[in-house]
Amino acid sequence: METVPIREIERRIREFQGKLAEKEVDIAIIAQNVDLYYFTGSCQSGYLVVPSRGEPIYLVNKSFKRARKESPLPDIRHLLKFRTLPQILEEEIPNIEKLGLELDVLPTSFYLRFQNMFPQAEIIDISGAIRELRLIKSPYEIDIFRKGAEISRQMLEAVPRFLKEGKTEVEFAAELECFMRKRGHQGGIRLRQFNQEVFYGHVMSGENLTYPSFFDSPTGGPGLSPAYPQGPGWKKIGRDEIVIVDYVVAYQGYCVDCTRFYSLGSVPSLLKEAHAAALTIQEEIMKTAGPGTICSDIYRQACQIAEDFGLRDHFMGYGTDQATFVAHGVGLELDELPVMADRQDYPLQTGMVFALEPKMVIPGVGVAGVENTILVTEQGLEKITILPEEIIPV
Amino acid sequence: METVPIREIERRIREFQGKLAEKEVDIAIIAQNVDLYYFTGSCQSGYLVVPSRGEPIYLVNKSFKRARKESPLPDIRHLLKFRTLPQILEEEIPNIEKLGLELDVLPTSFYLRFQNMFPQAEIIDISGAIRELRLIKSPYEIDIFRKGAEISRQMLEAVPRFLKEGKTEVEFAAELECFMRKRGHQGGIRLRQFNQEVFYGHVMSGENLTYPSFFDSPTGGPGLSPAYPQGPGWKKIGRDEIVIVDYVVAYQGYCVDCTRFYSLGSVPSLLKEAHAAALTIQEEIMKTAGPGTICSDIYRQACQIAEDFGLRDHFMGYGTDQATFVAHGVGLELDELPVMADRQDYPLQTGMVFALEPKMVIPGVGVAGVENTILVTEQGLEKITILPEEIIPV
C-alpha cells in the first residue's frame, strides 16, 4: 500500500514546529484523524505529540502494528491508556506551560480531560496553524489530486450511459457511486466543520435541484428522509428536466470537487442565461486571479458579475438559504482554506487548491453553473478537472 | 417525505425535560445534528433550546424553510446570527444558572463560546441523559429498523450473484453498496465517538480479513489507502477464500448491522470450529438474556464460552487489537447504548436494540462468526435480521 513519503512528513512537522515556536507553544497534541494523517501518514487512533523542538512522538492506541507500517516517523509507541499520557510526556517534556490543541474539532470532553491532565498549562487553539499549513499543497499532494480528477472525469463522461428518464434520482446516483468506487473512490468524505457531512455530493433533477438543506452550499437536495436531508431523493427523473451531478471524488484522502449539468430535453432560457453568467464568472476569475490576488476580492468580483447579469439574488442560492462564498479550498477535507468570501483577506499562493463553483439557483426553474477544482500556479490558475462545461444534452 | 410523528417528538421532549429537572438544569441547548433530529424531527442546522419546563424553541440557521416543513415543533424561529442566542434566551428564560450541553460531541470552540455567552451559568454535560433516552426505542422506531433489516436481508441473499473469484474487494463492495443504495440506504452512517467513522462497513477476503484498523471492532480491513484505512481493499478475491460481508444499512436514520460469511471453496477446519463457537455464544445469549439481564454479565458469559472453546485469545480480535465488547447498541448512531462489555452494569430493558456480533479472529487463517440486530422484548431477545447463519458456499 502506498504510504506518505518521509520527506513530506518531515517537512510538515518542521514547518509546524516553526509555527509552534512563533506562538511560544511548548507542545501540541494532535488528536483528529485527518490532522494525524497529515502529520504522521497514518490515522490509526492515538495522539501525535509535537514539541516545538525535537522529535515528535506518535502514541497509538489502535492499531499500533498498522501505524508502524504506515507512518515513517521514528518514534511510535503503544499507548495502552489515555490517562498515562501525562506520565509519558513528563519524561520527555517537563514543565509544559503552553499546550496546543485542535480546539475547532476536539470534543469538549477531551478538552476538559486535557485540562485536568495538565492543570498548570495554558491551552491554546492550534487549529489555525494546522489549517494554514495544509493550505499549501506539495507536488506530491497535487499528483494525487490529478489521479482523483481522472476518476471524476471518467464518471462525468459516463453520465449519459446511466442517466435515463424514469429512473429515481437515487438509482441514478447509486450507479455513479458504484462507478467511482470501483475506480478507487475511498467512500468517506471528510468535513472539518461541526455537523457538516456529505455522502458523495449532490445528484438531483427538476424541482429537487432547488430543494434547500442545512449543507453550506448553493444546492441541497431532499435526500431519502429528513434524517439524512441532502442529495438525491426518491423522485423520478423526468423529460425536459435539468440534472446536476456534483459528486466529490475522495482518492487517497484528497477531495476533488467538480459539477456538470445535463439536460433531458429542452433547457429553459432563464437557465441558459444563468449558465452563461456562471461561466463568465469562472472565466473572468481564471483570467484575472493568481498568486497575490486577495480571496475576498475574487468573491466581490464574482458577485459584481452576477449583479451585471441581473442575477445577484440567485447567485450561490436564493433567499435565506443563499451561500456566501464562490469557492472553497479542498484537500484531505472538503472545507479547507482558501475560501472566496467576504472577510477572507489573504492572498492566493502557489500550491493552493480550491473548488470554484459559481452557481445560480432559480426557484421553480432550476440550477445552472459549473464547478472545477483549481490549482494556483506561478502562472495563474490551472483547472485540474477538465471536460466540457456546457449543459450536456442526454 | 415521511416526517417524525408529533407524538414521538412530544414524548421525547417531555422525558428529556424530566431528566433536566432531576439534574436541576435550567435549559439544555442541543447542537449536534443527530440529537437535533431525535428531538425535533429535523437536522437542519441550528440549536434546540429545551427549558426544564415549558416549550422548546428550535432556532434554525439553515434551512429555516425546510426545518418548518420537517419538524412538528410549534416554536421554530430563524436564527440569523449565533451571537444573538443569549438575547433570544434572555427574553424567554432569564437567569440561567445551570446550562446543559452535549459535551461529548460539541467541539471545544463552541463550548468556549457558550461559556462567554453565559458567563454566570454552570455548564454541565447532558449527553449521558440524551444517550439514555435514545437507548429505548419506540414502536415507531422499531418499525423503521424492520424496514432497514429487509434491505439488509435482500443484499445478503444477493451476495452469491456478485461474489466472483478474481474481482477486487472494492469492486464487489461497490456492487453491494449500489444494491442497498437503490433500495433506500441513506449512505452516511453516523458514529458518536470522536474520530470513529465507517463507510458502509467491512467487506474483505482471505488475508485481508484479519487486517487491523483503528476502528473499534473485531475486524478492520486495509481500505484503499492509509488515508481511509478500513474496509475493502484492492486485493483480488481468490479461490478457497472466506469473505466477510459486514455492511450496515442506514435507513431513515436508523442503523441495522448484520454480518454473514461466504466461502469460495473449502473452509479451514479451524474456522469451522471458530464459527461454531461464535454461533454457540449467540445461541446461549439468545436463550438466557432478556429484560433485567446485566449487560456486563452477557459479555462475561460470551468470554467464558469462547474460553471453553479454547478461543478466548481470538474472541473479538487478536493481540493488542482485540475489541472488548460482544454487542453494541444501534440506532441513529452505530455506537449507541447498550454495550455488552466490562463495567456496563445496567440491565437490558424492553425496547433496546443492539448488534450482537460474536466473532473470532485467527491471524493467518481468517475470521468467522455472526452478527444480528436484536430487539429486547418482554419475552426475551428477538432477531430483527433473519437469514441463514452458516458460512455460505458460493
Side-chain angles (χ1 to χ4, degrees):
Chain A
M1 202 180 279
E2 228 173 300
T3 53
V4 184
I6 186 158
R7 62 170 194 285
E8 281 285 316
I9 299 293
E10 282 175 347
R11 181 185 48 74
R12 295 170 189 177
I13 295 269
R14 198 173 55 237
E15 289 178 5
F16 184 49
Q17 287 180 319
K19 289 193 181 271
L20 295 181
E22 258 174 49
K23 291 175 198 290
E24 299 181 325
V25 175
D26 299 308
I27 64 160
I29 301 179
I30 310 281
Q32 190 229 26
N33 54 4
V34 178
D35 291 337
L36 273 180
Y37 180 70
Y38 186 74
F39 287 114
T40 72
S42 173
C43 43
Q44 298 305 307
S45 73
Y47 301 90
L48 177 69
V49 178
V50 186
S52 60
R53 57 184 70 186
E55 284 302 315
I57 312 167
Y58 186 14
L59 298 163
V60 183
N61 172 238
K62 183 173 187 278
S63 160
F64 174 56
K65 215 165 111 186
R66 183 161 181 176
R68 285 209 295 186
K69 222 156 63 175
E70 291 174 344
S71 173
L73 285 176
D75 194 354
I76 304 176
R77 306 185 199 174
H78 194 190
L79 179 72
L80 286 166
K81 303 270 176 205
F82 181 56
R83 63 165 189 272
T84 61
L85 202 79
Q87 273 164 259
I88 297 167
L89 294 190
E90 183 58 36
E91 287 164 30
E92 306 285 336
I93 312 125
N95 307 320
I96 298 166
E97 284 176 17
K98 217 165 172 182
L99 167 64
L101 297 173
E102 303 142 296
L103 300 189
D104 65 336
V105 288
L106 194 75
T108 308
S109 54
F110 281 77
Y111 168 76
L112 297 175
R113 287 172 76 182
F114 279 116
Q115 250 188 354
N116 273 328
M117 278 182 175
F118 302 98
Q120 79 297 346
E122 178 195 354
I123 296 179
I124 72 146
D125 188 7
I126 41 91
S127 59
I130 295 173
R131 296 190 75 199
E132 267 173 40
L133 276 180
R134 287 179 37 195
L135 172 56
I136 307 295
K137 272 69 178 178
S138 68
Y140 162 79
E141 291 177 293
I142 291 163
D143 187 52
I144 297 174
F145 278 111
R146 293 195 198 278
K147 291 177 185 158
E150 176 56 20
I151 297 173
S152 173
R153 187 188 63 75
Q154 288 178 19
M155 181 272 290
L156 290 166
E157 283 186 355
V159 161
R161 271 164 49 198
F162 298 110
L163 182 53
K164 300 273 178 289
E165 194 187 330
K167 268 188 195 177
T168 64
E169 288 175 352
V170 72
E171 280 174 314
F172 168 56
E175 288 162 358
L176 301 183
E177 292 163 10
C178 183
F179 183 96
M180 290 188 290
R181 186 87 165 111
K182 287 184 173 184
R183 284 158 182 78
H185 194 303
Q186 73 185 22
I189 294 163
R190 288 153 173 151
L191 287 122
R192 194 167 189 96
Q193 211 186 308
F194 180 52
N195 274 341
Q196 290 290 304
E197 57 185 4
V198 72
F199 187 75
Y200 283 105
H202 294 174
V203 163
M204 286 92 68
S205 64
E207 70 205 41
N208 274 356
L209 287 166
T210 56
Y211 208 107
S213 89
F214 72 97
F215 195 62
D216 189 14
S217 144
T219 55
L224 298 176
S225 86
Y228 206 85
Q230 186 186 187
W234 291 109
K235 177 188 162 298
K236 281 191 178 160
I237 298 166
R239 193 77 242 136
D240 284 332
E241 286 190 345
I242 299 292
V243 173
I244 188 174
V245 179
D246 178 1
Y247 258 18
V248 176
V249 172
Y251 184 77
Q252 287 187 17
Y254 290 82
C255 297
V256 171
D257 205 354
C258 187
T259 305
R260 293 296 184 268
F261 290 84
Y262 302 82
S263 74
L264 290 116
S266 65
V267 179
S269 62
L270 195 52
L271 274 193
K272 280 185 193 161
E273 283 167 42
H275 189 70
L279 288 182
T280 304
I281 290 171
Q282 178 189 251
E283 209 173 304
E284 285 301 310
I285 292 172
M286 292 296 295
K287 228 166 36 193
T288 56
T293 313
I294 302 298
C295 291
S296 53
D297 286 346
I298 295 174
Y299 180 60
R300 264 190 295 276
Q301 180 188 11
C303 292
Q304 186 55 54
I305 300 170
E307 177 87 52
D308 296 344
F309 274 87
L311 289 165
R312 181 65 188 90
D313 288 347
H314 301 277
F315 181 50
M316 303 304 286
Y318 185 77
T320 56
D321 293 320
Q322 201 164 27
T324 53
F325 64 89
V326 69
H328 56 93
V330 290
L332 293 170
E333 289 164 319
L334 189 60
D335 54 350
E336 299 203 357
L337 298 173
V339 180
M340 321 277 147
D342 281 339
R343 288 186 300 280
Q344 303 286 314
D345 304 323
Y346 45 85
L348 288 182
Q349 292 174 64
T350 303
M352 289 184 181
V353 178
F354 59 86
L356 177 63
E357 54 169 328
K359 288 173 186 164
M360 302 294 176
V361 177
I362 305 172
V365 181
V367 178
V370 73
E371 179 172 32
N372 285 301
T373 295
I374 284 168
L375 168 69
V376 184
T377 71
E378 279 169 37
Q379 285 75 45
L381 303 188
E382 179 197 329
K383 285 180 195 165
I384 291 184
T385 45
I386 303 165
L387 70 169
E389 296 176 351
E390 72 267 18
I391 300 176
I392 299 151
V394 172
Chain B
M1 202 179 281
E2 231 175 297
T3 54
V4 184
I6 185 158
R7 62 170 194 285
E8 281 285 315
I9 299 293
E10 282 175 349
R11 180 184 50 73
R12 295 171 188 178
I13 296 270
R14 198 172 55 238
E15 290 179 4
F16 185 49
Q17 286 180 318
K19 289 194 181 270
L20 294 181
E22 258 173 49
K23 291 175 198 290
E24 300 181 323
V25 174
D26 299 308
I27 64 159
I29 302 179
I30 310 279
Q32 189 231 26
N33 54 4
V34 178
D35 291 337
L36 274 180
Y37 180 71
Y38 185 74
F39 288 114
T40 71
S42 173
C43 43
Q44 298 306 307
S45 73
Y47 301 90
L48 176 69
V49 178
V50 185
S52 59
R53 57 184 71 185
E55 285 302 314
I57 313 167
Y58 186 14
L59 299 163
V60 183
N61 172 241
K62 184 173 187 276
S63 158
F64 174 56
K65 215 166 110 184
R66 182 162 182 175
R68 285 210 296 187
K69 220 156 66 174
E70 291 173 343
S71 174
L73 285 176
D75 195 353
I76 304 177
R77 305 183 198 173
H78 195 187
L79 179 73
L80 285 166
K81 302 271 176 204
F82 180 58
R83 63 166 188 272
T84 61
L85 202 80
Q87 273 164 260
I88 297 168
L89 294 190
E90 183 58 36
E91 288 164 28
E92 306 285 337
I93 311 126
N95 306 321
I96 297 166
E97 284 177 16
K98 218 166 171 181
L99 168 63
L101 298 173
E102 304 142 293
L103 300 189
D104 65 335
V105 289
L106 194 76
T108 308
S109 55
F110 282 75
Y111 168 76
L112 298 175
R113 287 172 78 180
F114 279 115
Q115 249 188 355
N116 272 329
M117 280 181 172
F118 303 98
Q120 79 297 348
E122 178 195 353
I123 295 178
I124 72 145
D125 187 8
I126 41 92
S127 59
I130 295 173
R131 296 190 75 199
E132 267 172 40
L133 277 179
R134 286 179 40 194
L135 173 56
I136 307 294
K137 272 70 179 180
S138 70
Y140 162 77
E141 291 177 293
I142 291 162
D143 187 51
I144 298 175
F145 278 111
R146 293 194 198 279
K147 290 177 185 159
E150 176 56 19
I151 297 172
S152 173
R153 187 188 64 75
Q154 287 176 20
M155 179 274 289
L156 290 166
E157 282 185 356
V159 161
R161 271 164 48 200
F162 298 109
L163 181 54
K164 298 274 179 287
E165 195 186 328
K167 270 189 194 176
T168 63
E169 289 175 352
V170 72
E171 280 175 313
F172 168 56
E175 288 163 358
L176 301 183
E177 292 162 12
C178 183
F179 183 96
M180 292 189 289
R181 187 87 166 112
K182 286 185 172 183
R183 284 157 181 80
H185 194 302
Q186 74 184 19
I189 294 163
R190 287 152 172 151
L191 287 123
R192 194 166 189 95
Q193 210 186 309
F194 180 52
N195 274 343
Q196 290 289 306
E197 58 185 3
V198 71
F199 187 74
Y200 284 105
H202 294 172
V203 163
M204 287 90 68
S205 64
E207 70 205 39
N208 275 356
L209 287 167
T210 56
Y211 208 108
S213 88
F214 72 97
F215 195 61
D216 188 13
S217 146
T219 53
L224 297 176
S225 84
Y228 205 85
Q230 185 186 185
W234 291 109
K235 177 189 161 296
K236 281 191 178 159
I237 298 167
R239 193 77 244 140
D240 285 331
E241 287 190 342
I242 299 292
V243 173
I244 189 173
V245 179
D246 178 0
Y247 258 18
V248 176
V249 172
Y251 183 77
Q252 285 187 20
Y254 290 84
C255 298
V256 171
D257 205 354
C258 187
T259 305
R260 293 295 184 268
F261 290 84
Y262 302 81
S263 73
L264 291 116
S266 65
V267 179
S269 62
L270 196 51
L271 274 193
K272 281 185 195 163
E273 284 166 41
H275 190 68
L279 288 182
T280 304
I281 290 171
Q282 178 189 251
E283 210 174 302
E284 286 301 311
I285 292 171
M286 292 296 295
K287 227 162 42 189
T288 56
T293 313
I294 301 300
C295 292
S296 53
D297 286 347
I298 296 173
Y299 180 60
R300 261 189 297 278
Q301 180 187 11
C303 292
Q304 185 56 55
I305 300 171
E307 177 86 52
D308 296 344
F309 274 87
L311 288 166
R312 182 66 188 90
D313 288 348
H314 301 276
F315 182 50
M316 303 304 286
Y318 185 77
T320 55
D321 293 320
Q322 201 165 28
T324 54
F325 64 88
V326 68
H328 56 94
V330 290
L332 293 170
E333 290 164 320
L334 189 61
D335 53 350
E336 298 204 354
L337 298 173
V339 180
M340 322 274 146
D342 282 337
R343 288 184 299 279
Q344 302 286 315
D345 304 323
Y346 45 84
L348 288 183
Q349 291 174 63
T350 303
M352 288 183 180
V353 177
F354 58 87
L356 177 62
E357 55 168 327
K359 288 174 186 163
M360 302 293 175
V361 177
I362 305 172
V365 180
V367 179
V370 72
E371 178 172 32
N372 285 300
T373 294
I374 284 168
L375 168 68
V376 184
T377 71
E378 282 169 35
Q379 286 75 44
L381 302 187
E382 178 196 330
K383 284 180 196 166
I384 292 185
T385 44
I386 302 166
L387 69 169
E389 295 175 350
E390 73 266 18
I391 299 175
I392 298 151
V394 172

